[in-house]
Amino acid sequence: GTNAINVPSHSEPVPFLNVIEDYQKLIRALRELFPNARLGLLNIIPRAYECRQTLFRIETFNTIFSKYVSEIMPGVTWIYLYWEFLDRYGRLREDLYGRTGLHLSRKGK
């Protein structure tokens, strides 16, 4: 999720369709192993990236993928917690992240 959406400085970002296809493969594999399980997909959460383009890609991907999940993946629940990781000013909640702002703290998990 997050690593695929990141805009790397040395190459082109991974197309959204590739990321969605990877999620589809995962869902199919889980359905085969656990046919009666309730499945949920959590949105990609915000991260402390220097690159505004990456933050925009995360927000855009979440919007596109949430619609895709609700229309194309029956029985899969979209769980949207993006804003729970931000304070009222739109900044990362420091109590939920480690010092780098990339990985969650114990409280954030």
Side-chain angles (χ1 to χ4, degrees):
T2 304
N3 290 338
I5 298 300
N6 186 24
V7 178
S9 59
H10 60 281
S11 64
E12 290 294 313
V14 175
F16 287 164
L17 184 57
N18 293 20
V19 179
I20 290 171
E21 287 171 350
D22 288 344
Y23 275 107
Q24 283 180 308
K25 290 175 191 172
L26 176 63
I27 294 298
R28 278 195 296 271
L30 289 170
R31 283 277 181 237
E32 286 181 26
L33 290 171
F34 309 103
N36 298 320
R38 294 185 350 200
L39 299 177
L41 285 173
L42 178 66
N43 65 269
I44 297 176
I45 61 174
R47 300 282 198 224
Y49 285 113
E50 299 286 327
C51 178
R52 291 290 310 155
Q53 188 179 359
T54 294
L55 294 174
F56 178 74
R57 279 180 55 83
I58 290 172
E59 292 172 14
T60 303
F61 178 80
N62 283 336
T63 300
I64 291 168
F65 196 45
S66 69
K67 292 176 183 168
Y68 182 84
V69 168
S70 65
E71 293 173 11
I72 307 298
M73 295 182 164
V76 177
T77 302
W78 179 252
I79 304 167
Y80 192 77
L81 297 176
Y82 185 89
W83 294 107
E84 299 297 320
F85 290 87
L86 301 174
D87 66 17
R88 64 184 176 152
Y89 303 107
R91 297 180 302 227
L92 293 181
R93 286 185 45 196
E94 292 180 10
D95 61 322
L96 301 180
Y97 289 87
R99 60 183 164 76
T100 64
L102 295 176
H103 300 100
L104 294 175
S105 67
R106 183 172 286 142
K107 182 177 179 183
K109 294 178 184 177

